[in-house]
Amino acid sequence: MLTERHDPRGRVLEHHRTGTEVRRIGYPICIRTGRLLRREQITRNIVRLTVGGPELAGFHTYQADDHVKIVFPDADGTRRLPVPTPDLSLDWPTPSPPSRRYTIRRYDADACEIDFDFVLHPGGLASAWAADVRPGEDVSIAGPPGAKAFPHNYDHYVFAVDATALPAAARWLEESPPDVSARLVIETPDAADHAYPLAARDGVEVTWLVRDGDRSPLAEAVMSLDPPARRTFLFAAGEAGAIKPLRAWARDLKAANGMDALFTGYWKRGVADLED
């Protein structure tokens, strides 16, 4: 069955206005190669890379947690890229080239620029690349494949995220309705990353946590919040094991108060390029 990929902007925005729960909406999937324009150290452990160029014109992204795959060269420097297909998808080479998924922090259609925020850490293909890449180098981007769109019409939102999902939470804050009500609970491995810039919004409360080694306080902190009395949406994203306890909690609240939720494991300890 082919995925509908036409008019993604109109379909996502309509779901934001009038939809219910989470809806998957396909985009035309493209492969584009831009140029790294700037790098900026946002916090001690987070670097922002800005990619731009005329190939980014017409880029599709309409949901705060949209992601792309950054396609890296092989060890010998060969860049093996997927090929566009007539059904607005991509045909990937075999074996697949090295790639990693990253959230789009910002797309500026007028300037043809995309911002990506990378959490730097020892080891890992993408982190090593983000630490070393310099302005002027080519960056190949596949996607986004589509949106997991959730409405902007809930009475209240709860975000349970770690540092890897900060770009999605920050973008959502900027794009959500002016009268939004939300509680963001954000876990980072280092208190220095609490300097990450977030838009100041009336009706939004932010709680910052620091992870203690391998022990995450995220789920416990969220479950200790007062049960929502209004129609609420939970966005939980980050390390898969850390957000797992929230699934049962959200199911119970859906039965009691109608809470809807979206869970996305951005990464998992010991697993490279987690598919979720």
Side-chain angles (χ1 to χ4, degrees):
M1 181 177 176
L2 295 179
T3 300
E4 171 58 51
R5 300 191 183 279
H6 294 90
D7 187 28
R9 182 178 185 274
R11 290 185 292 133
V12 171
L13 296 184
E14 180 63 22
H15 190 69
H16 284 169
R17 289 191 297 267
T18 65
T20 59
E21 300 186 323
V22 178
R23 180 184 174 193
R24 291 180 180 266
I25 297 175
Y27 297 169
I29 309 177
C30 299
I31 179 71
R32 309 166 190 263
T33 298
R35 191 69 57 88
L36 182 65
L37 302 179
R38 297 183 297 277
R39 56 180 298 127
E40 178 186 0
Q41 200 71 35
I42 300 298
T43 71
R44 180 186 297 170
N45 303 295
I46 299 176
V47 63
R48 176 166 296 165
L49 302 183
T50 300
V51 180
E55 282 211 14
L56 300 185
F59 186 81
H60 294 282
T61 177
Y62 312 109
Q63 178 67 35
D65 61 332
D66 282 347
H67 71 271
V68 298
K69 278 192 173 183
I70 296 179
V71 186
F72 302 106
D74 291 331
D76 63 1
T78 302
R79 195 180 293 269
R80 296 182 297 116
L81 300 179
V83 177
T85 64
D87 64 351
L88 304 180
S89 187
L90 294 175
D91 184 16
W92 287 80
T94 303
S96 293
S99 64
R100 292 293 184 271
R101 288 184 301 280
Y102 273 89
T103 303
I104 299 150
R105 173 60 184 86
R106 176 190 69 100
Y107 172 57
D108 184 329
D110 293 331
C112 293
E113 293 183 357
I114 302 174
D115 286 344
F116 298 100
D117 291 352
F118 288 77
V119 180
L120 302 178
H121 55 84
L125 172 66
S127 180
W129 173 82
D132 294 339
V133 68
R134 290 294 177 264
E137 296 187 32
D138 285 345
V139 182
S140 295
I141 300 167
K148 294 179 181 178
F150 56 88
H152 286 182
N153 56 32
Y154 286 89
D155 298 321
H156 185 68
Y157 295 81
V158 176
F159 275 65
V161 301
D162 69 10
T164 62
L166 258 175
R171 180 178 169 184
W172 180 85
L173 272 179
E174 295 171 358
E175 297 179 355
S176 57
D179 59 349
V180 71
S181 170
R183 178 70 175 268
L184 276 64
V185 183
I186 305 168
E187 174 195 289
T188 68
D190 186 339
D193 297 322
H194 296 181
Y196 186 92
L198 296 174
R201 299 288 302 274
D202 292 337
V204 174
E205 184 176 353
V206 180
T207 299
W208 292 93
L209 307 171
V210 177
R211 186 171 67 242
D212 182 12
D214 290 342
R215 182 187 173 278
S216 170
L218 182 61
E220 182 178 345
V222 172
M223 291 187 292
S224 70
L225 300 176
D226 291 336
R230 298 172 288 168
R231 183 168 169 263
T232 298
F233 188 89
L234 168 68
F235 179 91
E239 201 280 320
I243 62 175
K244 184 177 180 180
L246 292 173
R247 292 180 181 270
W249 178 76
R251 282 195 301 269
D252 290 344
L253 286 178
K254 183 173 182 63
N257 300 315
M259 173 185 275
D260 293 324
L262 173 61
F263 288 85
T264 307
Y266 278 28
W267 62 288
K268 187 173 183 178
R269 296 188 189 283
V271 177
D273 199 25
L274 176 67
E275 292 281 357
D276 190 358

